[in-house]
């Protein structure tokens, strides 16, 4: 699942705003199979936006927990989209 590998790398990107836009575009490629998947994608994007806010306001020293949460939300999206075989649990 190259989409998820690319999105995972965007969580560590320096330019958070560009990462959000690219992640959104990549996630639009997924087939919307259920409301649960749609909600999981929304939750992930919200966490990515929160990460961007934290980095903007507080610098790089405070973003570790936000990155961890974003990776967990991405794992949920991956599971719900059918990418079960390639999930690596971040916890």
């Amino acid at each position: 699942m190259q989409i998820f590998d690319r999105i995972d790398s965007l969580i560590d990107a320096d330019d958070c705003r560009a990462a959000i836009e690219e992640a959104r575009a990549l996630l639009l490629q997924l087939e919307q199979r259920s409301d649960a998947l749609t909600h999981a994608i929304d939750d992930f994007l919200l966490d990515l936006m929160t990460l961007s806010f934290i980095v903007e306001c507080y610098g790089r020293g405070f973003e570790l927990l936000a990155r961890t949460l974003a990776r967990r939300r991405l794992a949920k999206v991956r599971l719900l989209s059918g990418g079960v075989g390639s999930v690596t649990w971040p916890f």
Side-chain angles (χ1 to χ4, degrees), residues 52-70:
S52 174
F53 174 77
I54 289 171
V55 169
E56 262 184 45
C57 294
Y58 302 106
R60 292 274 172 200
F62 296 99
E63 87 276 4
L64 181 61
L65 291 175
R67 288 187 197 285
T68 301
L69 181 58

Side-chain angles (χ1 to χ4, degrees), residues 58-84:
Y58 302 106
R60 292 274 172 200
F62 296 99
E63 87 276 4
L64 181 61
L65 291 175
R67 288 187 197 285
T68 301
L69 181 58
R71 282 199 169 83
R72 288 183 179 181
R73 300 280 192 180
L74 181 59
K76 183 177 179 181
V77 171
R78 189 181 302 209
L79 282 170
L80 291 170
S81 71
V84 179

Side-chain angles (χ1 to χ4, degrees), residues 25-44:
L26 289 167
L27 289 167
L28 284 173
Q29 296 176 23
L30 295 178
E31 185 179 324
Q32 300 298 317
R33 298 180 185 182
S34 66
D35 287 340
L37 177 57
T38 301
H39 291 298
I41 290 171
D42 290 344
D43 288 344
F44 169 72

